[in-house]
Structure formats: C-alpha cells, structure tokens
Amino acid sequence: MTAGILSPARRRRPDMNKIIAIAILAVRGAIRSRVVLVLLGLLLLAVVAVPLTVKSDGTPAGDVQILVRYTLGLAMLILSLSVLWAGCASVSLEWQSQRLQLVVTKPIHPLQLWLGKWLGLVALHVVLLAICGAVTAGLLKWRMREPLRDPVDREWLLDEILVARRSLIPEPVNVDTAARLRFEEEQSRGRLPADIPPETVVQAIRQNLLIQAFSISPGGTREWHFPRPGRLDRERSLLLRFRFSSSTPGPDRVTGAWVIRRGNNIPAVQVQTNMVATARHSIRIPCAALSGEGPLVVAYENIHTDPVTVLFSPEDGLEVLAYAGSFGPNYARALLVLSGQLIFLAALGITAGSLFSMPVAAFVSGFVLLLVQMAGQLQSMAAQPVFLAGHRGEAALSPLGAQAYRLFFKLLHAVMGPLQVSGSLEKLTTGVLVSWSETFRVLLTHGLIYPLLLALLAAWIMRRREVAMAG
Amino acid sequence: MKIAREETMAPPGIQPVLQAEHVSKIFRDFWRRPRVRAVNDVSFDVKPGEVFGLLGPNGSGKSTTLKMIVGLLRPTSGRLQVLGAPPTDVRRKARIGYLPEDSYLYPYLTCEETLDFFGRLFDLRASERRARTEQLLEMIGLRHARRRLVGEFSRGMARRIGLAQALINDPDLVILDEPTAGLDPLGCRQVKDLILTLARRGKAVLLSSHLLADVEDVCDRIAILFNGQVQATGPIRDLLEERHRPRLTLPEVSADQLRAILAALKEQLGREPELDYPRRNLEQFFLDIVARAMRQATEQSGATPSEGVAPYLSVDDRRHPLASPPPPAGHE
C-alpha cells in the first residue's frame, strides 16, 4: 500500500510476482505432499532397474538401446503421466475442494493463475527429467569403460551409435503421373472392377509403383540418388544404413553387389554383401574416397544365385548418415525435445482441468494425446475416400456430408499434426542427429505456441465459469 | 479488551461501497433448467464505515449473496456494483478482503507462508509482507505456530488464519462469511473488536451470520434473509427498539429511595412497573475468567489470545474508499 522504496528497474514486474507465487505454491505442494519423492523413487528405479532386468540381444547397439531408449522412455512415460495427471488435478481438484475460491477473489487474472500453475509443474518435471538424463548419462559412461566393454565394440559404438549423424534419404520417386496413366490405360481396356471407387484404384496403383521402385528382381539393378551430403570431413566415413526383405521366407542370407559413387565419378565403394534379410546393416563409405561433385549415387545389383526378389522399404529402407557432431550435444538436444513434450502435456492437463472435473479432464487430455499420435492416420482419413464409400461403391455420405467429413479431418490434422514428434530417443540410439532446428521447432510448438493457445482458451473459460457452488 | 460500540454509520450522501439492486440467483441443472432460486430480488447497499449484517437461517441465501459480491457466482438478474465496478473487475479485488464460510487454505503451507502467498497476490513488497505477517500472526495469536502446516490446524486456528489472509491487503471492503464460526468466545470477541476497529477506520464491513448476538454486537444495519428474499432491513436500533416500552436505568439507590420511585411510577402509570437488576452477559463473564487465568498461566498449547488489533489495521487514516483512487497494479 505504501510507495515502493526500490527503484523501478530493480523491482520485479507485479504480474510476474503473482505468477511466481502460484508457481512456488505448486512446487511446495508437490514436494510436501511427497509426490516428488515418490516420483523420484519411481524414476530412479526405472533408470537403474530396466538395464538390469531387460535382456539385451547381446550386441553393443542392443545394450545402448536398453540403457538409453528403454530407461529414458520409461522415465518419460512416468513423467508424462505425472505431469498430465498433476496438470488436470492442479485446477480441477482445487475447484472441487473450493480452495480456488480464495485465490480467485484476489487481484489475479485467470491467465496469471494458469501460467503460475504451468510454470510450477514444468519446472518440477523438467528438473526430474534432467536428473534422469544425468543418471542415464552417468550409467552409459560407466558401461563404456574399458574393463566392461571390448575396445573394438567401444570403437564401433563411438562411430556408429554414440555419435550424431545427419540422415540423408533417397530423393523421392514421383509415381503420381505414372499411376494416373496406368489407371487410364486399365480403364480404357475395361479391366477395372466396377464396385471400387476410381481414387482407391489410383491409390493402389501408386503404392504398387512405389514398391516396384524399391524392389530388385533376380539379376536386376536399381539406383538411388541421395542429396548432396554437403561439406564432408575427409577423416570420417559416411554410413550407408539399410534394411531389406526378401521374397524367400526365413532368415536366409541374400547376396548383392553395392556400388557407391558421387555423380558419374569412379566408385568410392564396390562391395559384395551376403546379409540376412530384415536386420539392419551398414556399409562404411570413406569420405576420402568420394571424389568429385554431384549427388551421392547408390546402386544395388541382385546377384543372388537363387531367384529371390529384394525389397527395400520406401519409407526407411535406405539412408546415408553423415557425421554431424558428437553424442553429448545430441543427447542434450534429445532431452530438450522431451522437455518440450512435457511442457505441452502440462499445458494440456491444466487446460483440461480448467474445463472439466478431475476424471473427465484426465480422459479428455488422454483422448487429445491419442489424436496427436494418430495425426498421420487423420491425414489419410481426410484424403482417403474409401471411408466415404459403402461396400458396393455407393456413396455413403451426401456430397455435403463428404465435404464436411474431409474438412473435419483436415482441421483435426492441421491442429494435431504439428504436435507429432519423430522419436528423438530412437534417433539417439541409432546415432542419428537430433538437429537444432528440430529441437527449436518442438520447443516453439510444444513449449510456446500451443501452451499459449491453451492458456488463452483456459483463461477465457475461467473468466466465464462460476468458481463457487450453491451454498 | 472490549472495544466499545459506537455509531459508525456513514453520513447520508456518501457513495455506497457496495450496491445490490434487485439481485437474483437461480441455480440451473446440466440442461439449463432452473433447479433452485437461491437469491430472489435482493437489494441493499453498504457505505464506508458501516458494518452491515446479512442474517438468516441455513439455506437462506446469505453465502450465495456474498459469493456473487466477490465474483465467485454471477447474478442471474439484477445489478451488483462493488467499489464502483462489477464484482469480476480484477483491479477492484485489490481493495477487497474476503473470508469464505470455510477457510479453504492450502494444507501444505505454513501459517507464515500462507500469509506471504496471499500478500504476493496483492503485489505487496517483501518487507511489507513480512511486517504485516508478523502483525497479523500476533493479532490472531498464532505467532508461536508460524511454521506449522495449516493442514495440521484445528478449525478454529484455520479460521484465524483465514481471517488474517482477508486483511493482509488492508482492504476497504471486508466481506466475512460466518466470521466467528469455529472460534472460542475469546476469538469471537477479538473478531468483533476487529470489525468495530475496521469500521471506525472508514472500512465497510459486510458480514453474514446466523449468530444473532454477534450481529447485534457489531452491525449498524442488517438485512434478514429467508428463502432468498429480504424479509426485513434497516438500522439494527430501529428494528429492535420498542419505543412504546421505555426502560429507566437508575444510579445506585437505597432501598427506601427505590420504594419511593416505584410508588411514584405506579401512581403515574396506574399499574405496578417491572423491576429487574442488570446482569453481566455470559460472554463478558467468560472473558473476565479467562483473562484472570491467563495472567496465571505462562504457556498454553493452541492459540494464545492476544490483545488488540494489528497496528497497520489500527492506523487512524479514516477515509472513504470511493474518495481514494484505486491502488496501482503494483504496490511495490
């Protein structure tokens, strides 16, 4: 009430003061109710117990997979459930217990209340994630020590797994025109079934052509062009990583010949492989041997003695990995991406808690998460006309209904799509770079834009909602 | 120490701090169908320096009315103005102190942290918060329990902390819902003294209670609610006074003088006047006993009764709230 004695520059902004008060309240409540202690215990148990209990496949990569991906994945699952539950409860339970009554009668805007709760939850969970990350990193370092790890394995791990490599995928094959032409040809010959919608047929032809572009019949050869790898460190190697399936059932080995070059220059690598299908393999490409300019060309010739067709998956069958940095910063970026996801979950929980009572809020936020996971399917549901047709090809919806159907799923995909994050833990345990741009994108969407939108929605609702009950 | 009751009513012409005009509240079900009419066409106002009481049995609409005034509920119809603005105006809330019917405190905060937390919500400077927390803890007699978690408190102790949080901002309008519920007689007396002190400083106090004696002790005006409607309203003296039955209070007289006075009165009235002797009320008797016991005891568990009101609440800066501009967003 009295005039301040501190100069304006030294004073904290009044609005921040309130937000910090609410944040401290949330943290104090979590610590004193022993929620933090229980969480910490669970997390440490997950980080320490998982590597001891889950059996590895015996390979060094398998060990890292369990130590990093499984333990941090489990820790992340625990933290996600916790932050979502705590977010829902932090408003809805206070609403139900009427404790919120006392706070909202003070000069605090609903947005400040929301931000305070969010900051408190985020601080708590990000610190817990950082602890898990630090313990896991410590365990990894310990497991990499000489007596525990064979020097050859260690060297291999440091070059292929505990590293950050930029992933280059083959330039996309455009099969749309070919698919449309094939469809018209088949239609003119009257060889298309009448009860299947035309767009479904085009889609099937397109998929078929795409598979053909990545399959090699006996004696055949196929070439893939990768984008220019940029400036290469001549001391290091590129890695061609691939996975294929064969037309013979069982784990038979398939023989093939690889030729890797740059543009039309002399090949840097010419190697014959005899490898098991479905497993992941890699071929080292010394950068020093890659002379000249132009795109990287990878050719595979099927020289297997028996007639076997080889198929590389169009999605993740082939990739070239170029060195982009060490494991430490990559690990830190992966943790930042996970933090971004936790920040979004906290925002989602608090907003759901501001709109609904506790069990409903938890179910709603769980449903939203499910929609985020299904973002890819939502896109295909918007595009895929098969859902709009009945069993005999008749229209299941009126044209207006079909338009509304498409618009609904397009909208849903537009909202949920940006929230999909490619698995940063998977990248971490396969030596793939978690880039700064990807990290910033996640922090921007998950940590700023979506929370801000959710905060505005929650504040709008809270201003309109009656806090008290009859009595 | 009992603070003497005096006329605290604001002079006519002063702008009310709180105005309720034909306010109604209907609670609806999920399908928006009217379920219960909790408040029905209620009108009253409260002026600076006035203690206004809402009286009524359970379920009469007192708490609902107060919740509408602090913005927790919205009136279905009618108009509410608090300190010249609608109840939902966030800036005006800086000048309101509210004690709900249950204290609704955070169980994982200590006494000190609770007051500090609410002080922060009013943007009070850290030193100001510390000073006020000290004074309030002293006032409510919980200085010795400052570091105990509020969740461990009895209802009475929680009530005291609830009252302290309502006063941390030195409000111009104090709204107290059943302020003496759960308090011992000593606590009740202190709350009543506090209310009178606040009113003397020009603060407007609105309280609801079904404890008639408490209301009678402190209120200038009252409204009696039943079934959500105002059944009677006005200055408490006007409502209770029986002007056709005056009572004489005599100084100390001898038996002979008394007999003579009674005879004279009988002759004038034409019938025997009633004679009784004044008694102390039970509350005063109890307070005297406790005060004597306190002087003998050195230590007590639970709340220790304290004398007086927090100094910052007692500063005589009588002013009318509407005459002063609202405080800036930051008080620091």
Side-chain angles (χ1 to χ4, degrees):
Chain A
M1 290 282 171
T2 53
I5 53 168
L6 294 172
S7 67
R10 286 182 58 203
R11 283 179 357 214
R12 194 184 285 137
R13 281 177 59 83
D15 292 349
M16 274 314 286
N17 217 358
K18 296 174 188 178
I19 293 170
I20 289 169
I22 299 284
I24 292 173
L25 177 76
V27 173
R28 270 193 180 132
I31 292 173
R32 291 186 183 163
S33 62
R34 298 194 180 87
V35 167
V36 174
L37 199 67
V38 171
L39 260 183
L40 198 59
L42 274 176
L43 291 170
L44 292 179
L45 191 71
V47 170
V48 176
V50 166
L52 296 175
T53 49
V54 178
K55 201 170 176 344
S56 158
D57 60 1
T59 62
D63 286 352
V64 172
Q65 179 95 340
I66 287 171
L67 195 59
V68 177
R69 190 173 170 186
Y70 289 10
T71 53
L72 276 186
L74 184 59
M76 188 61 189
L77 179 71
I78 293 169
L79 285 172
S80 301
L81 289 175
S82 156
V83 78
L84 204 59
W85 175 84
C88 292
S90 69
V91 181
S92 66
L93 285 189
E94 277 195 26
W95 211 298
Q96 282 165 261
S97 68
Q98 308 200 39
R99 229 165 259 142
L100 210 58
Q101 280 194 22
L102 214 47
V103 177
V104 297
T105 54
K106 310 301 180 207
I108 182 165
H109 194 277
L111 193 61
Q112 291 171 320
L113 182 66
W114 190 99
L115 286 173
K117 293 208 170 280
W118 180 63
L119 274 185
L121 274 185
V122 164
L124 203 65
H125 284 82
V126 167
V127 166
L128 287 172
L129 178 67
I131 292 173
C132 287
V135 172
T136 308
L139 282 173
L140 188 63
K141 202 167 179 182
W142 180 68
R143 294 282 287 271
M144 287 292 288
R145 287 187 317 163
E146 284 280 340
L148 294 172
R149 181 71 61 196
D150 179 71
V152 178
D153 285 352
R154 189 168 176 276
E155 200 59 37
W156 181 85
L157 276 174
L158 288 174
D159 191 49
E160 288 212 12
I161 304 294
L162 300 179
V163 69
R165 287 178 176 274
R166 182 173 290 107
S167 171
L168 307 169
I169 54 168
E171 283 165 0
V173 183
N174 189 355
V175 292
D176 291 347
T177 315
R180 183 59 63 182
L181 284 172
R182 173 80 68 84
F183 171 77
E184 283 165 6
E185 188 186 325
E186 297 292 325
Q187 199 176 34
S188 64
R189 291 183 185 172
R191 293 204 302 209
L192 292 180
D195 59 347
I196 299 179
E199 286 190 51
T200 308
V201 178
V202 174
Q203 196 69 19
I205 295 172
R206 192 184 169 281
Q207 191 63 24
N208 204 20
L209 289 174
L210 203 59
I211 288 170
Q212 277 177 26
F214 281 82
S215 61
I216 304 110
S217 49
T221 303
R222 186 133 340 249
E223 258 187 19
W224 295 276
H225 289 224
F226 286 81
R228 291 161 188 265
R231 216 179 62 181
L232 296 174
D233 183 350
R234 296 181 66 82
E235 298 298 312
R236 297 188 179 272
S237 303
L238 294 177
L239 278 182
L240 171 68
R241 193 175 277 172
F242 59 92
R243 184 157 49 187
F244 63 91
S245 49
S246 77
S247 57
T248 54
D252 282 352
R253 287 174 177 274
V254 178
T255 310
W258 294 89
V259 175
I260 303 166
R261 62 174 193 277
R262 206 159 180 190
N264 291 320
N265 295 296
I266 51 165
V269 175
Q270 278 182 302
V271 66
Q272 191 170 315
T273 56
N274 185 30
M275 290 173 168
V276 178
T278 68
R280 197 184 285 272
H281 307 283
S282 56
I283 295 173
R284 199 174 294 261
I285 312 165
C287 290
L290 278 175
S291 58
E293 291 298 315
L296 196 67
V297 181
V298 174
Y300 179 82
E301 186 183 358
N302 185 350
I303 54 169
H304 198 72
T305 45
D306 298 328
V308 168
T309 298
V310 172
L311 170 68
F312 293 88
S313 161
E315 283 80 34
D316 60 351
L318 283 158
E319 62 179 340
V320 168
L321 298 166
Y323 180 84
S326 59
F327 180 74
N330 210 35
Y331 187 73
R333 283 191 295 270
L335 287 181
L336 279 178
V337 169
L338 296 180
S339 302
Q341 288 172 286
L342 286 180
I343 294 171
F344 167 71
L345 289 179
L348 177 64
I350 295 170
T351 304
S354 309
L355 304 180
F356 307 104
S357 59
M358 182 48 190
V360 182
F363 282 124
V364 167
S365 43
F367 181 68
V368 172
L369 277 190
L370 190 70
L371 287 179
V372 171
Q373 293 302 316
M374 287 173 60
Q377 283 95 316
L378 292 176
Q379 190 177 25
S380 61
M381 283 166 100
Q384 183 62 272
V386 76
F387 291 99
L388 299 177
H391 292 298
R392 295 181 186 282
E394 78 281 7
L397 290 171
S398 65
L400 195 66
Q403 212 168 1
Y405 170 94
R406 283 202 182 94
L407 188 67
F408 174 73
F409 280 104
K410 264 186 188 166
L411 270 175
L412 213 53
H413 177 256
V415 174
M416 300 298 168
L419 290 167
Q420 260 205 327
V421 181
S422 54
S424 52
L425 285 179
E426 188 188 350
K427 286 182 176 176
L428 205 59
T429 50
T430 49
V432 175
L433 175 76
V434 180
S435 66
W436 273 118
S437 62
E438 185 185 344
T439 309
F440 281 132
R441 187 191 69 80
V442 172
L443 288 178
L444 193 68
T445 52
H446 290 63
L448 197 64
I449 296 174
Y450 275 76
L452 193 67
L453 292 174
L454 288 170
L456 291 174
L457 171 71
W460 185 74
I461 298 284
M462 282 163 93
R463 276 182 77 86
R464 274 149 189 79
R465 192 174 168 184
E466 290 188 326
V467 179
M469 299 164 198
Chain B
M1 182 186 72
K2 180 173 178 174
I3 293 179
R5 175 96 196 288
E6 60 178 63
E7 282 302 314
T8 55
M9 284 174 67
I14 294 290
Q15 276 287 310
V17 175
L18 166 66
Q19 274 179 296
E21 291 172 10
H22 308 289
V23 173
S24 295
K25 177 67 187 174
I26 299 170
F27 287 105
R28 298 176 189 277
D29 64 11
F30 182 80
W31 307 107
R32 310 284 302 155
R33 290 175 304 197
R35 192 160 47 88
V36 60
R37 184 181 280 269
V39 175
N40 191 2
D41 197 28
V42 165
S43 298
F44 64 90
D45 58 30
V46 185
K47 294 194 170 100
E50 187 179 41
V51 183
F52 191 95
L54 283 179
L55 270 169
N58 293 336
S60 57
K62 305 187 298 290
S63 291
T64 302
T65 305
L66 294 192
K67 283 172 185 171
M68 285 192 283
I69 290 167
V70 292
L72 294 172
L73 294 172
R74 281 160 207 278
T76 309
S77 62
R79 181 171 169 269
L80 268 173
Q81 286 279 300
V82 182
L83 296 159
T88 46
D89 187 297
V90 172
R91 276 170 58 87
R92 301 290 161 165
K93 289 178 181 175
R95 298 168 62 194
I96 299 172
Y98 172 56
L99 172 71
E101 76 269 35
D102 266 311
S103 298
Y104 304 134
L105 299 167
Y106 289 96
Y108 296 115
L109 294 186
T110 64
C111 253
E112 214 169 23
E113 289 165 351
T114 300
L115 296 182
D116 188 72
F117 167 69
F118 286 110
R120 269 176 182 258
L121 296 188
F122 284 103
D123 281 331
L124 297 180
R125 209 171 56 229
S127 58
E128 189 73 39
R129 291 200 304 270
R130 271 196 298 276
R132 289 188 181 188
T133 299
E134 280 297 318
Q135 292 176 26
L136 285 169
L137 287 175
E138 179 68 37
M139 183 186 89
I140 59 172
L142 287 178
R143 230 173 100 162
H144 66 290
R146 60 196 308 152
R147 291 201 173 85
R148 271 180 64 188
L149 295 180
V150 171
E152 299 169 358
F153 279 6
S154 67
R155 185 163 184 240
M157 289 166 91
R159 201 77 190 134
R160 285 164 188 262
I161 284 288
L163 186 67
Q165 67 75 29
L167 299 171
I168 189 86
N169 58 326
D170 192 13
D172 292 325
L173 170 62
V174 186
I175 299 168
L176 307 170
D177 198 351
E178 308 282 1
T180 54
L183 294 180
D184 56 26
L186 210 63
C188 289
R189 184 68 256 166
Q190 284 174 333
V191 169
K192 288 190 274 188
D193 288 348
L194 174 71
I195 290 170
L196 293 173
T197 305
L198 292 171
R200 274 215 300 267
R201 282 188 60 210
K203 313 284 187 188
V205 182
L206 172 65
L207 66 92
S208 99
S209 182
H210 53 247
L211 300 174
L212 307 183
D214 288 352
V215 174
E216 191 179 348
D217 276 358
V218 295
C219 289
D220 301 307
R221 286 193 302 141
I222 57 168
I224 297 174
L225 294 178
F226 186 78
N227 265 353
Q229 282 184 307
V230 175
Q231 305 293 330
T233 185
I236 200 159
R237 196 180 53 191
D238 293 357
L239 292 174
L240 301 184
E241 214 170 61
E242 295 177 291
R243 298 195 71 86
H244 60 285
R245 292 189 66 199
R247 182 191 288 180
L248 287 173
T249 304
L250 300 176
E252 197 171 330
V253 291
S254 67
D256 289 341
Q257 285 174 310
L258 183 61
R259 268 195 295 279
I261 290 166
L262 288 174
L265 281 173
K266 185 180 175 185
E267 192 181 324
Q268 280 294 320
L269 298 171
R271 60 189 173 95
E272 198 80 44
E274 285 174 28
L275 174 68
D276 60 15
Y277 294 90
R279 309 192 299 178
R280 283 184 295 172
N281 64 19
L282 186 57
E283 183 192 19
Q284 194 54 51
F285 180 70
F286 176 85
L287 292 175
D288 290 345
I289 296 283
V290 172
R292 199 166 60 218
M294 269 173 57
R295 280 194 292 273
Q296 292 165 359
T298 51
E299 276 191 357
Q300 271 195 337
S301 62
T304 52
S306 66
E307 289 288 318
V309 171
Y312 83 92
L313 292 173
S314 314
V315 177
D316 193 10
D317 62 343
R318 188 183 295 231
R319 59 188 173 12
H320 293 305
L322 287 185
S324 60
H331 293 224
E332 292 192 27

